[in-house]
Amino acid sequence: MASSLLSIADAVVATINGASLGQPVDAERLFLPQFELQEMSVLRVVVVPKDEDRKPITRTAKQATYRVDVGVLKKIASTDTAEIDPLCALVASIAALFDGKRLAALPEAICTVAKTEPVYAPEHLEQLRQFTSVIVLTFKVVE
């Protein structure tokens, strides 16, 4: 069996790809999400396993915490709101998919935090004309 962190990351990808988010999304799990700027003209949703932590909660049970980053990236033509607002809405929709919810593929995993950090990266907009946002999802599992 794959590690729990990788299973959770795969379930996050499946959840995003199975959701109706107002625009087509093809999420993928990557370990090293590096792209050339010319590749960024298409929307990219990237799921990256981040970390895990286990601690005892009783003599026989442990609580595991898993964090997964979801990156939303796209090269934009301008920094006007007409192009950025739909991307911000997509980020909010993805966060809402998970916040306080269990993963369908792994119902023992509940998302306790869906933190958008940053909502967008101003330096990417200014220097690269690229929208970049990261949603940090925290899942808890009692083992």
Side-chain angles (χ1 to χ4, degrees):
M1 182 174 138
S3 82
S4 296
L5 179 60
L6 297 182
S7 297
I8 287 172
D10 287 339
V12 168
V13 169
T15 301
I16 292 170
N17 288 340
S20 176
L21 296 168
Q23 58 183 294
V25 173
D26 185 23
E28 59 184 327
R29 176 171 61 90
L30 297 173
F31 286 107
L32 194 59
Q34 294 181 339
F35 306 101
E36 295 296 324
L37 197 54
Q38 56 268 30
E39 296 176 281
M40 300 310 298
S41 61
V42 297
L43 175 67
R44 295 208 179 258
V45 177
V46 181
V47 177
V48 179
K50 187 171 187 173
D51 61 26
E52 60 183 90
D53 180 40
R54 288 179 169 66
K55 63 182 175 186
I57 53 174
T58 70
R59 281 187 271 167
T60 58
K62 291 181 182 171
Q63 178 174 284
T65 302
Y66 302 96
R67 289 192 308 163
V68 174
D69 286 346
V70 178
V72 176
L73 309 111
K74 185 170 194 276
K75 180 123 173 85
I76 56 174
S78 71
T79 58
D80 67 4
T81 57
E83 197 165 359
I84 296 172
D85 284 356
L87 294 168
C88 287
L90 174 62
V91 168
S93 295
I94 291 172
L97 273 178
F98 297 99
D99 193 23
K101 299 183 178 99
R102 295 185 181 276
L103 291 169
L106 295 166
E108 64 275 14
I110 185 166
C111 182
T112 57
V113 178
K115 181 179 180 180
T116 307
E117 185 180 88
V119 173
Y120 67 93
E123 65 279 4
H124 287 196
L125 284 176
E126 181 183 356
Q127 297 167 10
L128 305 172
R129 291 280 194 244
Q130 175 180 297
F131 178 87
T132 303
S133 182
V134 178
I135 307 158
V136 181
L137 302 174
T138 303
F139 293 91
K140 302 274 186 185
V141 177
V142 175
E143 302 172 332

